Amino acid sequence: MAFKSEVRDTIINSLLEKARERNYGKYLPRLTLRNLRGFKDEPISFDFPVTALIGPNGGGKTTVLGAAGIIYRDIPPRMFFAKSGKYDAGMQDWSIEYEVTDRENSPKAAVQRTASFKSLKWNRDAMSREVLVFGVSRTVPASERKELLRCTARKFVVPDSRVTALSESAATAISRVLGKDVSGFRQLKIAQNLDVTLLTGRTKADVEYSEFHFGAGESSVIRMISAIEAAGENAIVLIEEIENGLHPVATIRLVEYLIDAANRKKVQVIFTTHSNEALLPLPDKAVWAMTSDKAFQGKLDVKSLRAITGQIETDSVIFVEDAFAKIWIESILRCGDLPADHFEVHPMAGDGTAVAMNRYHNKNPSIKVPSLCFIDGDSKQHENEQEKVYRLPGESPEAYIFDQCMEKWSEIGGKLAVTMLQKFEDNEKVEEICRTVRTTNHDPHLLFAQVGEKLGLVPAQTVAQAFCAQWAQSNPQIVAEFLTKLKGES
């Protein structure tokens, strides 16, 4: 079943417009890594107030996260870019350029700033903004945190004056993310002169228990959301590996909360992740893929990063626009004389991203596995045989496959019905449903989902795979033309 976020499209579109118009008191719209670690003149734009950075280990996610933070006074550069004596000689001449919105100091125009590492120190004209940083250490269990050891004493207690309940807004948001009622949870300041707290929870039977019996992800969510709710408007929030310690459903809900916070409190959030679930509620412009020396904007499956960076065990990679094109190409491979397992097909969630990834992959001298790219018939990208970019037939892939199969229903209808989990003898009934759906359909991308619904909630992917498989089997000449393009890469 396709994912449906609980964040309304109107909110997503409103936030995209707000970022585009720079309609914030404080906001970081853009930075450029002029010379930082492996990046050379690499621009990163924050076109949505909640941005996800994905990539392999060492790909540069934390580099961008840290670069976003150090232009602000609250974040010392050593927090992300510490120098260790002679062992970090390569830091010399690192440089980051910024475009910053700060209505207090520049009501009309964006402010230009630079942070650079020269003469063995960081030089920056830092700006004022509230910054919240949540590193991976937030998921260290309470029992392993030295600052909480005093709380394990048998007679540990704190005065009521240092005990606070969670705010109503924080408790509501935390309860939704964790799927449990936290209205009875509290924070204990363990010493008057220390900014260290211990959390306590409460069972349904009204029994109190300490953070030493929390899950690490549970503590992390409570502390993050409490801090964000306590922050003022226009703060920037930096989160390392947002999914750490969380169930996939909780990860989705946490990202949805961050979008809600961006809408209510005008906060800007940048987080790193290895989780596909963390990307689901976000629009394409909110995702950047890092590959150690390049950055690509657009949503894609995290698993596809292995292909982009050459971390694969296959003969060739095929980049396509979306999940349907992946199904189509894989159906073609299964009908040919090439070993299908010698190819990996990766959907990129957009034609521009697919073409860019293919170009980067083939130009990277460290990657030995070649790649191709297939764009949809209605793509505005151009075919380029030299760069191995080819176009799929038909204006709309879904409509093309659907119509081609319907034209041959008398030949393939029975098999098509069976592969859609229907009885062979019911193929006339299935045909009638398919033709009715085609007549009433306004969006070809929904054709297979609509047919599946009419057939008794058959998954859209199952219907799409059935149509693609039958199309491939009944069009050997077109399949042969596709395979000709692939044979040089196997």
Side-chain angles (χ1 to χ4, degrees), residues 20 127 180 224 232 235 281 292 300 304 456 485 490:
R20 183 171 59 251
M127 305 186 70
K180 63 188 292 184
M224 280 198 295
S292 76
L300 67 156
S304 298
K485 296 180 176 69
S490 62

Side-chain angles (χ1 to χ4, degrees), residues 98-387:
Y98 299 87
E99 175 189 330
V100 185
T101 296
D102 189 330
R103 301 300 180 195
E104 290 181 10
N105 297 303
S106 181
K108 295 183 179 180
V111 178
Q112 307 298 321
R113 288 289 188 270
T114 300
S116 61
F117 189 86
K118 296 180 183 297
S119 303
L120 302 180
K121 67 177 183 177
W122 279 98
N123 303 279
R124 56 177 183 154
D125 187 3
M127 305 186 70
S128 174
R129 188 179 186 186
E130 185 176 5
V131 185
L132 305 180
V133 180
F134 300 102
V136 293
S137 62
R138 70 184 185 277
T139 56
V140 174
S143 59
E144 297 178 24
R145 292 168 55 191
K146 293 181 179 179
E147 70 271 23
L148 295 181
L149 286 178
R150 67 172 66 189
C151 304
T152 61
R154 204 169 118 194
K155 295 184 179 181
F156 171 74
V157 67
V158 301
D160 290 344
S161 60
R162 297 209 302 266
V163 179
T164 57
L166 302 177
S167 71
E168 184 178 349
S169 61
T172 299
I174 293 164
S175 294
R176 183 181 178 278
V177 171
L178 296 179
K180 63 188 292 184
D181 181 13
V182 298
S183 57
F185 284 40
R186 302 185 297 170
Q187 289 184 320
L188 316 181
K189 188 171 183 179
I190 67 173
Q192 187 66 46
N193 60 341
L194 291 176
D195 189 22
V196 179
T197 60
L198 178 75
L199 298 171
T200 66
R202 192 168 294 276
T203 68
K204 292 180 180 179
D206 205 31
V207 176
E208 194 168 29
Y209 60 97
S210 76
E211 189 175 354
F212 291 101
H213 302 284
F214 284 26
E218 185 178 12
S219 296
S220 171
V221 166
I222 293 171
R223 292 181 181 279
M224 280 198 295
I225 293 180
S226 295
I228 292 170
E229 288 301 308
E233 288 192 348
N234 293 301
I236 185 169
V237 181
L238 309 177
I239 306 173
E240 282 267 31
E241 299 185 17
I242 194 171
E243 73 278 10
N244 267 16
L246 296 181
H247 184 277
V249 173
T251 300
I252 293 171
R253 289 173 178 166
L254 180 55
V255 175
E256 289 178 333
Y257 160 74
L258 294 173
I259 296 172
D260 174 67
N263 187 48
R264 288 185 294 109
K265 298 172 65 68
K266 300 180 182 179
V267 298
Q268 181 177 6
V269 183
I270 306 171
F271 67 81
T272 70
T273 186
H274 295 279
S275 165
N276 276 322
E277 285 77 18
L279 309 183
L280 292 175
L282 297 172
D284 285 352
K285 285 188 174 182
V287 181
W288 282 87
M290 322 307 298
T291 62
S292 76
D293 61 349
K294 295 290 291 183
F296 299 92
Q297 187 178 30
K299 192 184 295 188
L300 67 156
D301 191 305
V302 173
K303 295 178 183 176
S304 298
L305 290 167
R306 293 172 49 254
I308 297 164
T309 56
Q311 301 171 23
I312 52 175
E313 296 180 1
T314 188
D315 290 345
S316 184
V317 174
I318 303 172
F319 295 110
V320 294
E321 286 190 32
D322 55 28
F324 178 76
K326 179 179 188 296
I327 293 172
W328 189 359
I329 295 296
E330 289 177 339
S331 297
I332 290 172
L333 288 170
R334 284 192 290 270
C335 285
D337 56 357
L338 293 175
D341 60 352
H342 284 207
F343 296 85
E344 280 192 8
V345 185
H346 293 277
M348 292 287 109
D351 56 348
T353 305
V355 171
M357 293 295 187
N358 179 67
R359 183 180 298 119
Y360 170 81
H361 183 102
N362 283 328
K363 286 187 175 181
N364 190 331
S366 66
I367 299 176
K368 306 304 180 184
V369 177
S371 72
L372 304 88
C373 176
F374 284 96
I375 54 177
D376 290 354
D378 58 355
S379 170
K380 294 181 181 179
Q381 300 291 323
H382 298 291
E383 287 185 89
N384 188 323
E385 190 166 350
Q386 184 176 359
E387 293 192 354

